[in-house]
Amino acid sequence: MGLSLVNKDKPLSLRLAAIRTYPLLCSNNRRLYRRIIDSLGNLVSERQPEIRLAVATVITQLAKDDQIRDVSDVIGWVQSYLLDEIPPIVHLAILSLHYMILNGELDFDVVIKVVGKKICPLDDSKKILELHHIVIEAIVVLLGSGDINDADSDDEEETGISSQILLAIQTLLDLVSSDLFAGAKETESTNRIRSNILKSLSNYSLEALGIEEEGVKAATNSNFEVSEQSSTACVVRYKALSILLRDTLINPEKNMDGVVSVISLIKKVLSYEEDVVGAAIWQKGFKKQANTKKKKSDKASKSAIAALPTSEEILKCQEDDPRASTSIASLLCFNGQDINLLLDYAGDLANETLSPILRLLSIQGVFHAMARTWSQLSSHAAASLADNISSIVSNINGWTERYEIADFPFLALAALSVYLPENFEAGDGSDSTVNLSPIVASILDDIEQAYNEHQFSDFDNGNLCLALSGARSLHNGNTGYFTKILEQFEKKCEDGSASFGIHYGLALMAQFIPTGSDLAHSYISADQRQRHLWMGKIVGCLVNEFHFCLTERIPVLIELVGCLKSRAMSPKLSQDIDELGMQTMQPSLATKGAGVLMSIGICAHSIGNMCPDLLNCIFKLLCKLPLGSGTEFALSSIMSNKTTAVVIDKIDIECLKNKVKNSLDNSSALYLWAALKQDDEEKAKWLEKNIELVGGVCTNDVVSLTPFLGTLPVLACGELSPFSQAALFANASPRTISAVHQMLDKQNTDYSIIVKGLLASMRLPVIKHNDSSSRESSKPLIATKSLRLEGETLPTPMEGTLLHHLLSLLYEEVSRLKTKKADTDIALLSRIFQCLEPLSLPGQFATDFLSVIIGSESSALRTSGLKLLFSQFTKRRKAAFEGREFVNLSIKVITQETNPLCGEDLFFYSGMYDMIRKSSSDLSQKVLLKSWQICLSFASRKSEHECLCRWLQGFRTILSKSNDDSSTTLSPKTINAARRFLVKDVFADIVETSKCASIDETFDAFTECLLEIPSSITDECSFFLVESEGAQIEYLWRIRCIITLIKNEKVEGSERMLTVLKSIVVWVSRQVVKGDEQLGLQKISFLMASATEHLDESSKSEMILLILEVMLVHGPDAFALNLLGILLNDWGDCTENKSLVSISVQRVSGLPNLSLHSISQIQLLLLKEIPTNLKYFLKGTKTQNLVYNRISQVHSAWVKISAPKNGLDVLLSTLNSIRSGESDTYITAVLAARLAISPKEV
């Protein structure tokens, strides 16, 4: 084979087939190793790539199987293959090195250096990415081969981690964060590479990964000061690794190895976080903080509110001077009572062309008006709510007859649909619920029809309505329609036809995509990956539109757009933006650019939660533009958001502050200056001191005043959405407000009227939706409390930890689950639960969260939740949380009527001891009963009895710990009740189950439990009582247990033991043989023989006489003669024949399914041996004559009743054998030999 079959003159297929057999040949015959190496040496340099590939495969397989005796035999070939032009050959060569490292044949550090020289530097991820994917896959596998314990160089003794291992880890992290895995580039090969990267990373310890205690503390505590530069690097590494693991858990690879590796690595990090931070990793909920804020916001003095303009004042201005500005102001302070007033405002707005800022404010006015309208409607009786809303909708639809305001009705209805919930729960004390979904669906259908039929006179209005329709559909779970509209807008942006309506529409759509802290309150049917894809497209389109407005094309902006759409950060993107010079907009596109920048600002909060690094890049880019071009609105939005502002580089913020501080004579800079002062009190005090300066600057643009007085939902949204309400700062001074009011009256410009409308809206009472959350109450579509997982009631991990990331995802999915969304990511929930198993979770997690999960209709979700619940019994740390709540929930789960557990949930048995230990006596009995019933039910349905064994194993833990002298955790009442339950109820149920199935293993487990029970309990339960009459199957199992107890010396007193054995002998002897029941009696008989071997001759003789007595009374139909044969087979002193028969019986009786014919043959063997065995047993005993006489009586009695001939022959032969003292066996060697060697026939 090594010569002729692989010769060059042979067909290629034959040569390849022969070569591929080499590993198999070597594994079966090690002596062929040298011949195989010689043959490979002749083939390694073949020109045909197929032959080289086959040789490389053989070398890899030999290395994997550790069959290479000397590395020098193949290392030269492997190095030459590293330079081969065929990528699969290079792949196999690298894998060969990997396996040889694992087998201890090569040093990792040396191999990394060699591969770096032969292929490419392994510290350069860009050059690695230029290689073929199959080569990259092998490299990442190789990079995970390092062993941190092998570092032995002098300069590395302190850390124990070699420089090559650190290089490998850094390269793996660089590769996994590269754009190779971004968006549409993902393929099966890239998924495989990513999976292998994660698997390689999981091979290393956290120390090797650069995660240290000081760095974790710094990452989770902003007040913690790091002492070294290395700790700062650890913070960066820790945060990057946390985000990587979170994202990978959301989007697992198809390769399950990758998922397992990620979960393994996450468990390492979570356990380390708990070690470092301790129980403090679980913060208190937001309830106290939220209440404090709310209380503070209510402290706005009555005098300050009284100083604000009134809505009546604004309405009078509109009546006296109907124009766009007065109508916008009226919309902004509309009280929701007379909806027909909106018709007049709409006419004024339609007659003028508005700037982006005025258009934005007009849309905000419509939102405000519809919110107030819904507030008024929802305050009425629930019975008439649907009719009242239908009447309003019909009234607004009638406005479409006026051509000049044809677009306004659709915009008003679209805004109204945003605030209408699908189901409204009345707050009047009744439990009635009003279904508003038909009304919402009708509004959305009308808007779509109007858009498709081109009924909008202004395309911007049409696009705005379409965006709101798509956003509202997303809330209804229609992700397809939302995606369709988004792709439609994206296409218009690409072909240059997008305008304000699309730009602002995209920003509005972004408000409905939950990210960050919104995740816990989300009911949107889309996973994290899909949400990020939507956000990336939205912001990517807006940045691209902004790019078109600049005077010159900038390559780095093209790269930024790509990063946004692919959700991946380019390493040098931030640096490239820093190197840009100041940019300007094209004069002709300045208006469009301002609208785009405002829309980008509205999306800032979502961008920061999606990718903080990208928001930082956008911030840097906006700083490259002069103030006054709309940048102040976008920058202000970013800086007003306390959540997103922290991701911005402090140096950039300081530069911006200096730039703005030197330009406070500009209204745009003044507007941004308010955002840079994040504290509301600081803003109010600054305005009070500089009111004259502000008044001089804001002559033509008094909008810049408003950020110093209160929140602006649109222009400085910060953490607010466009659907929120304007609110007055609690620290606003009445004197300052009065001064501003007077200044606005003097100016009497369009902007001053609008600002007065904004301020007047702050006098109106706060709109309360079906929610009480401070931030969420200002947003539309808030569900009722019964459908929420609130931060007030759920455990909140410390921010900055991986645990915080995971629970954000977890709460998001559970929120969706509670709204019964069909596409809830059950698999993601299961993966997160698995990650959390090593932690000591707070008890609140059980009471307010796991109880929801366990009640799920999904079997997979329920099982994963139960696994997490019961993991807290075995894995939680005693010092963290006591865990009583988990025990209570477990007891509740087991004892409730509708039980989510089933017998296949084997993991819950591990917690039985804790549940019993922490329960009252009565409750513990209920736990035992219910859990046992669960197992029985499952075993009867599925015919699988492993659950019974596992339950009994858990029960044995309870019994064994209770028997420990040092254990005082279980009360005597509890443990005695448990013991009685086992002996009586459990035994009875097992017997009943055995009628339908073979449950030998179950009875073995039961017997193990029985060994832990004192004899006083078994006596109390009459377990040793074997009555003359009774169900045969029950007593067969009872006797089996008793014999086991006797063999383990659990029966106290020799006389008592003998009494029990005699009763068993009598009962077995009396049984009448019925078909398959012979097998059960046979097994019991063999156990009896084994248990009675140690008895003295007198006791054995008594048993023989008892059997003969039964034979005399009950005749030949009883099992007595068969029992006598089995006992004598063990007791007798026959040598050759006994040995042969014993072997035959053991072989045959050990087979699982014996036929009646086989049983008959066994019985025949044993019956024929009775004369010989009994003769040797009675030889020299005092009972020989007594036994002889009793057998004679039995023979005479059987002759009278015409007993079967074989039984009479055995008795007669026995009499003759005892009388003559000679063996008279009827066993033929042929029969015995056939039984011994022919199990097939048996």
Side-chain angles (χ1 to χ4, degrees), residues 474-475 479 512-514 522-526 531 534 816 821:
L474 177 63
H475 178 81
T479 58
F512 284 78
I513 304 174
S522 165
Y523 314 106
I524 293 178
S525 173
R531 283 192 299 271
W534 287 333
R816 186 182 306 163
K821 296 295 183 180

Side-chain angles (χ1 to χ4, degrees), residues 1031-1076:
Q1032 187 183 88
I1033 189 169
E1034 175 187 349
Y1035 283 111
L1036 284 175
W1037 289 117
R1038 186 186 295 272
I1039 291 169
R1040 179 172 172 177
C1041 293
I1042 293 173
I1043 293 174
T1044 303
L1045 291 175
I1046 291 174
K1047 292 178 69 174
N1048 286 273
E1049 300 179 355
K1050 292 294 183 179
V1051 179
E1052 299 177 356
S1054 57
E1055 293 184 5
R1056 173 176 160 71
M1057 179 188 68
L1058 185 59
T1059 302
V1060 172
L1061 286 173
K1062 287 179 180 179
S1063 65
I1064 293 174
V1065 167
V1066 172
W1067 186 88
V1068 174
S1069 300
R1070 288 176 175 177
Q1071 301 308 303
V1072 178
V1073 176
K1074 296 178 182 179
D1076 292 336

Side-chain angles (χ1 to χ4, degrees), residues 589-605:
L589 297 177
T591 301
K592 177 180 179 180
V596 172
L597 289 173
M598 293 176 190
S599 301
I600 290 176
I602 294 172
C603 301
H605 175 72

Side-chain angles (χ1 to χ4, degrees), residues 429-555:
S430 64
D431 295 331
S432 58
T433 301
V434 183
N435 182 14
L436 302 179
S437 56
I439 298 176
V440 175
S442 174
I443 292 174
L444 300 184
D445 290 341
D446 290 344
I447 291 173
E448 184 178 11
Q449 180 180 354
Y451 188 87
N452 294 333
E453 294 178 358
H454 306 289
Q455 296 182 21
F456 289 94
S457 57
D458 187 338
F459 287 120
D460 285 336
N461 291 332
N463 289 324
L464 276 174
C465 292
L466 189 64
L468 289 170
S469 176
R472 187 60 177 83
S473 298
L474 177 63
H475 178 81
N476 293 344
N478 191 351
T479 58
Y481 186 60
F482 183 88
T483 304
K484 176 184 174 182
I485 294 175
L486 180 54
E487 291 175 349
Q488 183 176 335
F489 285 0
E490 185 180 21
K491 185 176 180 181
K492 289 186 177 182
C493 289
E494 290 174 354
D495 61 24
S497 60
S499 57
F500 174 83
I502 290 180
H503 300 153
Y504 192 57
L506 288 170
L508 294 178
M509 293 173 73
Q511 300 302 304
F512 284 78
I513 304 174
T515 56
S517 59
D518 295 335
L519 293 176
H521 310 284
S522 165
Y523 314 106
I524 293 178
S525 173
D527 58 20
Q528 182 85 346
R529 189 189 189 101
Q530 181 64 63
R531 283 192 299 271
H532 281 187
L533 182 62
W534 287 333
M535 277 304 306
K537 284 188 174 183
I538 288 174
V539 184
C541 288
L542 293 176
V543 173
N544 202 37
E545 287 290 286
F546 164 70
H547 191 195
F548 287 133
C549 297
L550 297 179
T551 53
E552 60 181 24
R553 301 291 287 173
I554 307 173

